[in-house]
Amino acid sequence: MLHRASRTSWKRFAAVLVPSVMAAAALGIGMGQGALAASFLISGQKFQVALDTLDVRGLSLYGTVDVTRKGTLVPVVVTGASRAEISGLCQSVVVPIPVLGSYTLRITGGERSRVEAKNLFLDATSLSSEQANFDDLDIGVATGAVSKGPISPGDRSSRFFDPNGFAQQADSASLSDVRFTTVAVSAATFNVPDLDVRLKQGHHECF
């Protein structure tokens, strides 16, 4: 029987999911240079995504492996949301520029009106939240049986996708002070009010 609860600790969830990520990594290494059907090949550069609040309807969390253009395997935890509303969005990546040094590309939005997204996926190497509340939560559901939240089509068709792997899902979730270290973000739609894009010399990350 699947475990159900109305609330759980986000940090506790992350600890529970670690074995799934490690299993996904082992699966990827075992497959060597096999063909990968993914939405896109990642650059491998990590970037930060910080959210003041994240409200989700239809949540899924599962482990898989992303692949860089050079073939490097990157184990990730995928957070999927059928629908998401975000306040206080910040995204940052530090880019080394020859001769000039390091610059930070920083994107912000959702300060006065909420960011809205559909079929949102964040491929993260680390994640945390000050407080996370989940409604109708299932822990330990098989990845191939996830029904409350989305699975990325690129992940589902990948050789690294294990339908019997460990996953979690919830009808809805509400999180505050959320921090993702990510290698990829994708969405069917992503509407950002108050969008601001800045390139600044030096390090000006979101957290």
Side-chain angles (χ1 to χ4, degrees), residues 4 62 67 74-75 82 117 128 162 177:
R4 294 179 179 271
Y62 58 94
V67 182
V74 182
S82 297
S128 65
D162 180 7
D177 194 17

Side-chain angles (χ1 to χ4, degrees), residues 109-161:
E111 296 299 329
R112 291 174 294 179
S113 300
R114 306 193 90 189
V115 175
E116 296 181 350
K118 294 181 180 179
N119 287 336
L120 173 66
F121 299 97
L122 298 101
D123 295 16
T125 58
S126 68
L127 53 100
S128 65
S129 175
E130 183 68 25
Q131 177 65 41
N133 300 326
F134 299 88
D135 294 318
D136 200 10
L137 173 70
D138 298 328
I139 299 175
V141 63
T143 308
V146 169
S147 58
K148 295 178 179 179
I151 300 291
S152 170
D155 290 340
R156 193 178 291 278
S157 59
S158 166
R159 288 194 179 188
F160 297 101
F161 182 77

Side-chain angles (χ1 to χ4, degrees), residues 36-60:
L36 175 71
S39 298
F40 54 84
L41 296 174
I42 65 171
S43 71
Q45 171 112 25
K46 294 180 181 180
F47 57 98
Q48 296 180 345
V49 177
L51 315 171
D52 288 346
T53 63
L54 171 63
D55 293 317
V56 173
R57 293 189 65 82
L59 177 73
S60 60

Side-chain angles (χ1 to χ4, degrees), residues 55-127:
D55 293 317
V56 173
R57 293 189 65 82
L59 177 73
S60 60
L61 297 108
Y62 58 94
T64 189
V65 176
D66 286 349
V67 182
T68 71
R69 193 163 180 241
K70 294 181 179 180
T72 303
L73 304 178
V74 182
V76 294
V77 177
V78 180
T79 300
S82 297
R83 293 179 177 270
E85 291 188 355
I86 295 164
S87 67
L89 166 69
C90 179
Q91 177 183 311
S92 65
V93 60
V94 177
V95 181
I97 299 178
V99 181
L100 298 178
S102 296
Y103 275 72
T104 301
L105 176 63
R106 186 179 173 113
I107 301 171
T108 60
E111 296 299 329
R112 291 174 294 179
S113 300
R114 306 193 90 189
V115 175
E116 296 181 350
K118 294 181 180 179
N119 287 336
L120 173 66
F121 299 97
L122 298 101
D123 295 16
T125 58
S126 68
L127 53 100

